[in-house]
């Protein structure tokens, strides 16, 4: 892969030496398929090198990922604060996957920051904040899982990709590329996928496990959202959905249940920007998706304390839902020309 910012040569020498290290892998809060896929794959690989490896997620993650190999070993920071702090204290290395700013891992961020461990960032989001000692990064990769595949290849260990590791990497690449359709999907992505299938990834099973896991209630909620809640802001070629706390409670919405909703708006002909605003308990969470040149990353960064990729980003607001919506529409009006 081209253009990877990579200073991991000495790190790899250490990992391949005969010393056994204490290693933590962590990923962003509310981890998605790529976050869990890349983390569980690296977890499986580093354990083969006889290191002591722990995977710590800041929060829980969607149940449609619970089938993944290694799921039972995941330690959730929110539920095991004391233990995670002790582990961070004795860690030699902390791998930070699929994020590039410590604010993406909530309270665990300050724990990681204070740890004496060397930090390795493997990520494909724009504008890293720079907390890392080692970096394997490019925003041109489809996913962090593709980068982990490349990293294992760089280590000369493609032969260590077991069917379990292949399944994890396949899941991450599949989910972050929208099943191989988004712009970041390259010939390199497809070559990696082909190799993963050769190594035992069960591609058809994975699509079923991840995408055919709806409950009847979730499908009904989706119907409600599309029928009752989808607004088209014609002047800005923008689709907007917001969900109140009352609506979340009414449909018993759990982690991951709103995943993918934001994409429906973008499937409307002519729509350039799709936005989902959800009134979560602690803050209002926003998801942005775009087509073409409109930069969701910059929009999220400049106005909603967020970031991500050019065509997919997220942000948040500590205002009320109503305030957030009116602030959003006010800000949007400044982008009329870009959204034409
Ligand atoms: P989603 O809308 O699915 O939550 O996130 C879309 C993309 O933006 C993901 O790659 C995610 O990691 C990133 N992202 C989501 N929320 C935030 C945020 O609050 N801050 C930053 N920096 N990135 C985010
Ligand atoms: Mn990702």
């Amino acid at each position: 892969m081209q253009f990877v910012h990579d200073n991991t040569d000495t790190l790899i020498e250490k990992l391949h030496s005969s010393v056994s290290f204490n290693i933590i892998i962590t990923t962003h809060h509310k981890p998605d398929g790529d976050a869990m896929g890349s983390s569980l794959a690296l977890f499986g690989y580093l354990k083969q090198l006889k290191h002591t490896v722990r995977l710590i997620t800041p929060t829980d993650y969607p149940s449609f990922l619970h089938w993944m190999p290694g799921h039972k070993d995941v330690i959730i920071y929110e539920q095991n604060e004391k233990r995670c702090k002790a582990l961070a204290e004795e860690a030699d290395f902390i791998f930070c996957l699929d994020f590039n700013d410590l604010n993406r891992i909530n309270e665990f961020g300050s724990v990681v920051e204070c740890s004496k461990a060397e930090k390795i960032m493997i990520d494909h989001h724009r504008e890293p904040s720079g907390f890392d000692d080692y970096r394997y990064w490019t925003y041109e990769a489809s996913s962090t899982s593709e980068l982990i595949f490349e990293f294992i290849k760089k280590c000369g260990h493609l032969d260590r990709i077991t069917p379990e590791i292949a399944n994890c990497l396949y899941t991450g690449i599949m989910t972050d590329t929208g099943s191989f359709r988004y712009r970041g999907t390259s010939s390199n992505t497809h070559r990696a996928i082909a190799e993963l299938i050769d190594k035992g990834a069960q591609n058809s099973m994975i699509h079923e496990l991840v995408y055919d896991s709806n409950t009847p209630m979730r499908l009904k909620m989706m119907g409600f959202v599309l029928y009752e809640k989808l607004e088209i802001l014609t002047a800005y070629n923008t689709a907007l959905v917001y969900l109140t706390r009352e609506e979340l409670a009414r449909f018993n919405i759990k982690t991951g249940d709103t995943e993918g909703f934001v994409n429906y708006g973008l499937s409307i002909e002519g729509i350039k920007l799709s936005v989902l605003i959800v009134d979560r308990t602690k803050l209002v969470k926003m998801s942005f998706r775009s087509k073409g040149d409109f930069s969701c990353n910059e929009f999220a960064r400049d106005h909603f304390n967020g970031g991500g990729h050019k065509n997919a980003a997220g942000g948040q607001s500590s205002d009320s839902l109503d305030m957030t919506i009116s602030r959003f529409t006010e800000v949007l009006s400044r982008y009329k020309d870009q959204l034409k």
Side-chain angles (χ1 to χ4, degrees):
M1 180 176 295
Q2 285 181 305
F3 309 127
V4 179
H5 294 245
D6 175 12
N7 64 351
T8 58
D9 290 358
T10 50
L11 167 77
I12 290 172
E13 268 172 42
K14 289 183 203 176
L15 293 175
H16 290 181
S17 72
S18 56
V19 185
S20 169
F21 291 110
N22 285 319
I23 298 178
I24 289 175
I25 299 168
T26 190
T27 188
H28 60 80
H29 75 109
K30 299 284 175 196
D32 55 12
D34 186 34
M36 291 316 296
S38 56
S39 298
L40 286 166
L42 185 66
F43 182 68
Y45 168 62
L46 291 176
K47 277 197 301 187
Q48 287 182 35
L49 303 183
K50 312 287 183 228
H51 300 301
T52 304
V53 194
R54 262 85 177 215
L55 171 48
I56 298 177
T57 60
T59 64
D60 64 350
Y61 53 97
S63 57
F64 62 77
L65 299 173
H66 287 185
W67 61 272
M68 292 178 83
H71 159 67
K72 287 203 168 62
D73 295 319
V74 175
I75 307 166
I76 299 175
Y77 179 80
E78 272 181 347
Q79 299 163 14
N80 301 280
E81 256 183 60
K82 239 175 134 179
R83 181 167 175 227
C84 292
K85 283 178 177 159
L87 289 171
E89 203 144 290
E90 65 191 37
D92 302 300
F93 296 105
I94 301 181
F95 280 83
C96 299
L97 266 49
D98 203 37
F99 69 94
N100 62 29
D101 187 328
L102 290 176
N103 69 13
R104 296 280 292 141
I105 57 173
N106 301 352
E107 288 78 30
F108 191 43
S110 56
V111 179
V112 170
E113 193 169 24
C114 293
S115 165
K116 64 172 188 345
E118 292 195 287
K119 286 114 202 168
I120 306 100
M121 180 192 82
I122 304 184
D123 180 53
H124 67 133
H125 294 90
R126 287 178 187 245
E127 299 173 56
S129 69
F131 64 85
D132 47 319
D133 301 294
Y134 296 102
R135 179 172 292 199
Y136 197 75
W137 175 83
T138 170
Y139 65 78
E140 298 201 330
S142 69
S143 52
T144 301
S145 296
E146 187 177 338
L147 285 175
I148 293 293
F149 177 84
E150 291 298 325
F151 183 75
I152 296 175
K153 186 154 109 185
K154 181 186 173 187
C155 290
H157 279 158
L158 279 186
D159 58 328
R160 291 190 182 239
I161 295 186
T162 59
E164 288 75 26
I165 293 175
N167 276 340
C168 293
L169 293 176
Y170 187 98
T171 304
I173 298 174
M174 176 191 85
T175 52
D176 252 31
T177 57
S179 298
F180 321 111
R181 57 170 290 202
Y182 299 149
R183 270 184 173 186
T185 314
S186 64
S187 58
N188 193 64
T189 314
H190 283 285
R191 269 190 292 274
I193 283 294
E195 194 131 1
L196 291 170
I197 293 174
D198 285 345
K199 296 206 176 293
Q202 294 151 289
N203 48 328
S204 166
M205 178 197 81
I206 294 172
H207 283 262
E208 232 173 86
L209 286 169
V210 172
Y211 293 122
D212 299 340
S213 60
N214 277 320
T215 57
M217 190 55 135
R218 182 171 185 266
L219 220 55
K220 288 179 187 191
M221 174 183 63
M222 206 149 25
F224 164 76
V225 166
L226 294 179
Y227 192 66
E228 304 260 351
K229 304 290 320 232
L230 180 65
E231 291 176 39
I232 308 298
L233 311 174
T234 319
Y236 306 106
N237 291 314
T238 293
L240 169 68
V241 168
Y242 67 83
L243 291 171
T244 65
R245 279 186 207 177
E246 185 275 327
E247 286 159 349
L248 298 182
R250 183 156 129 220
F251 290 100
N252 189 24
I253 290 186
K254 295 193 222 51
T255 302
D257 279 351
T258 55
E259 183 128 355
F261 277 17
V262 66
N263 296 317
Y264 285 97
L266 213 57
S267 73
I268 301 167
E269 196 178 356
I271 290 295
K272 300 238 170 83
L273 175 66
S274 177
V275 184
L276 174 70
I277 306 181
V278 182
D279 197 2
R280 288 224 191 119
T281 350
K282 284 187 194 145
L283 40 76
V284 176
K285 170 77 194 146
M286 311 177 76
S287 283
F288 306 101
R289 299 290 185 275
S290 70
K291 275 197 176 141
D293 280 339
F294 185 84
S295 173
C296 293
N297 171 58
E298 282 172 29
F299 189 83
R301 224 168 252 277
D302 291 348
H303 306 291
F304 294 102
N305 197 25
H309 313 284
K310 184 169 185 183
N311 295 121
Q316 57 224 311
S317 155
S318 43
D319 296 334
S320 69
L321 180 64
D322 286 348
M323 283 272 289
T324 305
I325 296 167
S326 55
R327 196 155 68 78
F328 166 71
T329 44
E330 193 275 307
V331 164
L332 189 69
S333 64
R334 298 179 221 162
Y335 289 83
K336 197 166 178 178
D337 286 346
Q338 284 190 46
L339 289 162
K340 266 203 188 115

